[in-house]
Amino acid sequence: NDQVICSIYLLAGNTVYVRPSFDILKADYMGEINHTFVSEFLLLGLSGYPKIEIIYFVLILFMYLVILIGNGVLIIASIFDSRLHTPMYFFLGNLSFLDICYTSSSVPSTLVSLISKKRNISFSGCAVQMFFGFAMGSTECFLLGMMAFDRYVAICNPLRYPMIMSKVVYVLMASVSWLSGGINSIVQTSLAMRLPFCGNNIVNHFTCEILAVLKLACADISLNILTMVISNMAFLVLPLLVIFFSYTFILYTILRMNSATGRRKAFSTCSAHLTVVIIFYGTIFFMYAKPKSQDSIGEDNLQTSDKLISLFYGVVTPMLNPIIYSLRNKDVKSAIKYLLNQKSIH
């Protein structure tokens, strides 16, 4: 016996939408409603600001195209130019592939919602989107830590570098990053999607971001919070410690160099990676490491800022990665020029 319940919510200024919940809610009624099962979610996005949605559509579309082209060129260059067959560029190719997968799991649906006002996403679609977002984010944290360790060995132990960073080692390091990120995402996603969601299916975000979805659960989420704290320690703090100590030793080694040319070259090889680390960790730490208990329903400005910050690390950072690495790296620029010249000759 399904109850007839109506979901009423405010979107796009003063327009009130009333949506029968036949297609949203399926209730087990046994004297009273014990659990309510949501079959789809509604992504709020920037529906409260309809006049700027078209601006965001153009900006996000432009950034997405840059992500696909820039990261695609880096992947092709790292594969076909033998000069880039080194651990550093292997990790960079993985990072570019990861950025394409990460944005492709969320940006197309965001663009559709901005232009067509179609904001609903199925329960299973939300789970898939959440899985890819969390998996790619976790993997990127580990990859950035691996890249910092690679730079540490290259600068602080150059004679032992070929032995320490052999092909077997750096392929294994990348594989561990992808596998651990996938396992972490499976745990977090399964714990989130097994929760009951009672009535409210409006996700105040562009995508099915895990923190926004957890706010809708009508059950104890202490286990989710505990596992997320453990995840933050393993995938945010641990790689950041590796990066910090790696660059501490790198800086110490660079300052001891007698050659000014050697110091400039060492700084040049590390500056691009360090810039990406600062941008990525700065935004993601603000989102996932700050206290969430202070976020109340009435704090619209805070929620809007969270969504914009999420957009920043979810779209802007993957767009900046190939730009930073190509503009600050002579090897990448020469490889791209070489490939373009080969294509023009053929």
Side-chain angles (χ1 to χ4, degrees):
N1 296 320
D2 291 342
Q3 285 194 335
V4 179
I5 307 172
C6 285
S7 300
I8 304 177
Y9 42 89
L10 184 64
L11 292 174
N14 297 321
T15 306
V16 177
Y17 294 83
V18 180
R19 183 187 182 105
S21 61
F22 286 121
D23 59 336
I24 301 177
L25 307 176
K26 294 180 181 178
D28 281 334
Y29 186 77
M30 297 175 60
E32 61 180 8
I33 299 177
N34 293 324
H35 293 288
T36 304
F37 298 95
V38 173
S39 63
E40 67 177 20
F41 290 99
L42 202 72
L43 301 175
L44 201 58
L46 288 173
S47 56
Y49 307 90
K51 294 182 180 179
I52 65 173
E53 281 188 317
I54 186 63
I55 299 175
Y56 271 87
F57 173 82
V58 174
L59 287 175
I60 295 174
L61 178 61
F62 171 76
M63 289 187 288
Y64 184 53
L65 292 176
V66 173
I67 290 169
L68 294 179
I69 296 171
N71 286 288
V73 169
L74 277 179
I75 293 172
I76 294 172
S78 63
I79 292 175
F80 291 103
D81 194 316
S82 59
R83 293 171 295 179
L84 301 185
H85 291 174
T86 64
M88 176 182 174
Y89 297 108
F90 176 78
F91 288 128
L92 181 57
N94 274 262
L95 188 64
S96 295
F97 179 70
L98 182 146
D99 285 338
I100 291 175
C101 294
Y102 179 47
T103 52
S104 296
S105 68
S106 58
V107 171
S109 62
T110 300
L111 291 173
V112 170
S113 68
L114 287 172
I115 198 67
S116 69
K117 313 304 180 185
K118 182 180 180 296
R119 308 183 189 278
N120 59 304
I121 183 172
S122 65
F123 187 88
S124 58
C126 184
V128 170
Q129 195 175 78
M130 186 185 298
F131 167 79
F132 276 104
F134 218 93
M136 299 300 107
S138 301
T139 303
E140 182 159 358
C141 290
F142 265 27
L143 279 177
L144 290 175
M146 301 291 186
M147 293 173 73
F149 177 77
D150 171 70
R151 291 299 83 204
Y152 157 74
V153 178
I155 294 173
C156 299
N157 295 280
L159 298 179
R160 299 178 60 195
Y161 181 75
M163 181 180 64
I164 296 175
M165 296 299 296
S166 64
K167 186 174 182 179
V168 174
V169 171
Y170 66 75
V171 169
L172 181 61
M173 290 168 67
S175 301
V176 168
S177 299
W178 284 95
L179 182 61
S180 58
I183 293 173
N184 180 47
S185 185
I186 289 173
V187 172
Q188 299 296 339
T189 303
S190 59
L191 287 176
M193 304 313 285
R194 62 183 280 273
L195 294 170
F197 297 92
C198 303
N200 184 11
N201 70 327
I202 304 173
V203 180
N204 192 11
H205 211 278
F206 291 103
T207 62
C208 281
E209 199 266 344
I210 190 167
L211 295 177
V213 173
L214 286 178
K215 291 180 180 180
L216 306 181
C218 54
D220 182 20
I221 61 171
S222 57
L223 179 60
N224 301 79
I225 295 174
L226 177 62
T227 56
M228 195 164 293
V229 168
I230 296 173
S231 174
N232 285 343
M233 295 298 294
F235 289 89
L236 288 177
V237 178
L238 183 60
L240 194 59
L241 288 175
V242 173
I243 293 169
F244 173 78
F245 285 110
S246 295
Y247 276 100
T248 299
F249 288 115
I250 288 172
L251 182 61
Y252 176 73
T253 302
I254 290 175
L255 293 177
R256 292 181 61 192
M257 291 180 178
N258 295 323
S259 170
T261 304
R263 286 197 296 270
R264 282 197 300 270
K265 185 177 180 181
F267 273 121
S268 177
T269 58
C270 296
S271 59
H273 175 256
L274 196 56
T275 303
V276 171
V277 167
I278 292 172
I279 294 173
F280 179 79
Y281 270 96
T283 51
I284 205 170
F285 249 108
F286 187 85
M287 284 296 298
Y288 289 99
K290 70 173 185 174
K292 304 305 292 184
S293 58
Q294 298 177 358
D295 292 347
S296 62
I297 297 176
E299 293 178 322
D300 293 332
N301 292 334
L302 181 61
Q303 292 173 352
T304 302
S305 68
D306 279 356
K307 288 187 283 187
L308 295 178
I309 291 168
S310 174
L311 178 67
F312 186 83
Y313 81 76
V315 180
V316 177
T317 303
M319 181 191 70
L320 291 178
N321 284 350
I323 296 175
I324 292 171
Y325 279 108
S326 60
L327 292 179
R328 303 292 296 273
N329 193 298
K330 294 180 180 179
D331 292 336
V332 174
K333 287 191 288 187
S334 61
I336 293 173
K337 290 179 181 178
Y338 174 76
L339 291 175
L340 291 177
N341 290 334
Q342 289 292 105
K343 186 176 181 180
S344 62
I345 291 172
H346 288 297

